[in-house]
């Protein structure tokens, strides 16, 4: 199953909540788990308030766990899904394939780009997180200051350094959280976790 983004993104998703679910699979059960994952993905993506769904698959020789990341528009929507009978039924069906129990970690606020504090999944080394984040922020900052802000000034936005900084940083953060990093971390996954 490909990592997909839910099509119905909520416009007021700035107070969202994220759950990171970690599954360690029994030896020889990966095909069964993948089939289960495809099924649960379809029902999860239909959940009310879902913004984004991602799967980070194991990297051979580096990681052994599947990490499923779901972002919801609010903590209430996330709790509604996590406590639903539908999810409970999914977890009952996957238990025979798991080497350990269903592990998850919930956080509200900004989305996690790599893995949240306290998650069981191994984090990439800090210097790789730094380089990946910097390589995304730098072109976004340039594009905002060299392209977007001049267009806004041409449309009548006053030339005030504080306002420019506020608008520019807001655009960069929004693009990082909702557009760039969810895709960029998937693209760079092998490099991030390689030793």
């Amino acid at each position: 199953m490909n990592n997909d983004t839910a099509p119905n993104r909520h416009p007021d998703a700035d107070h969202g909540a994220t759950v990171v679910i970690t599954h360690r699979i029994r030896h020889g059960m990966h095909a069964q788990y993948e089939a289960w994952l495809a099924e649960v993905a379809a029902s999860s993506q239909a959940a009310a308030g879902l913004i984004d769904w991602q799967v980070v698959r194991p990297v051979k020789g580096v990681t052994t766990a599947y990490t499923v990341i779901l972002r919801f528009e609010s903590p209430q929507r996330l709790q509604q899904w996590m406590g639903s009978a539908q999810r409970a039924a999914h977890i009952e069906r996957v238990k025979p394939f798991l080497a350990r129990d269903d592990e998850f970690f919930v956080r509200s606020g900004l989305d996690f780009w790599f893995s949240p504090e306290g998650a069981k999944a191994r984090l990439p080394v800090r210097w790789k997180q730094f380089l990946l984040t910097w390589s995304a922020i730098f072109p976004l900052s340039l594009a905002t200051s060299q392209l977007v802000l001049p267009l806004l000034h041409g449309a009548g936005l006053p030339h005030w350094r504080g306002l420019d900084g506020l608008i520019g940083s807001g655009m960069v953060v929004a693009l990082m959280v909702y557009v760039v990093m969810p895709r960029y971390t998937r693209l760079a996954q092998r490099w991030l976790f390689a030793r």
Side-chain angles (χ1 to χ4, degrees), residues 111-123:
D111 293 339
F112 305 105
W113 292 340
F114 302 102
S115 191
E117 184 181 319
K120 301 294 199 293
R122 185 169 63 82
L123 284 166

Side-chain angles (χ1 to χ4, degrees), residues 134-153:
W134 186 21
S135 70
I137 287 177
F138 178 68
L140 290 176
S141 299
L142 277 181
T144 300
S145 64
Q146 300 298 314
L147 300 174
V148 178
L149 288 174
L151 287 174
L152 293 176
H153 292 312

Side-chain angles (χ1 to χ4, degrees), residues 37-184:
L37 194 59
E39 180 186 328
V40 77
S43 83
S44 296
Q45 290 178 353
L50 185 74
I51 295 171
D52 189 36
W53 158 280
Q54 297 174 42
V55 178
V56 180
R57 287 176 169 77
V59 177
K60 191 172 182 178
V62 179
T63 60
T64 58
Y66 282 78
T67 302
V68 181
I69 305 166
L70 293 94
R71 295 178 177 92
F72 284 82
E73 66 187 39
S74 69
Q76 294 78 17
R77 290 293 196 187
L78 185 149
Q79 291 301 333
Q80 184 180 7
W81 167 249
M82 293 299 289
S84 70
Q86 187 178 24
R87 182 178 186 275
H90 287 312
I91 296 305
E92 278 305 310
R93 280 200 317 282
V94 79
K95 279 183 179 179
F97 314 142
L98 300 182
R100 294 189 201 168
D101 285 341
D102 177 57
E103 300 170 351
F104 61 89
F105 189 87
V106 175
R107 268 286 180 88
S108 298
L110 288 177
D111 293 339
F112 305 105
W113 292 340
F114 302 102
S115 191
E117 184 181 319
K120 301 294 199 293
R122 185 169 63 82
L123 284 166
V125 292
R126 291 253 182 218
W127 68 267
K128 289 187 177 185
Q129 293 181 42
F130 166 77
L131 284 178
L132 196 76
T133 305
W134 186 21
S135 70
I137 287 177
F138 178 68
L140 290 176
S141 299
L142 277 181
T144 300
S145 64
Q146 300 298 314
L147 300 174
V148 178
L149 288 174
L151 287 174
L152 293 176
H153 292 312
L157 182 76
H159 286 272
W160 182 55
R161 186 174 287 188
L163 184 59
D164 286 357
L166 181 68
I167 292 171
S169 62
M171 291 179 68
V172 168
V173 170
L175 287 168
M176 288 288 286
V177 170
Y178 295 112
V179 179
V180 176
M181 289 306 279
R183 292 162 179 82
Y184 197 19

Side-chain angles (χ1 to χ4, degrees), residues 18-40:
T18 301
V19 60
V20 178
I21 303 166
T22 304
H23 287 157
R24 287 171 176 79
I25 313 306
R26 292 181 190 273
H27 181 70
M29 294 286 190
H30 284 76
Q32 293 92 327
Y33 179 81
E34 284 282 350
W36 173 86
L37 194 59
E39 180 186 328
V40 77

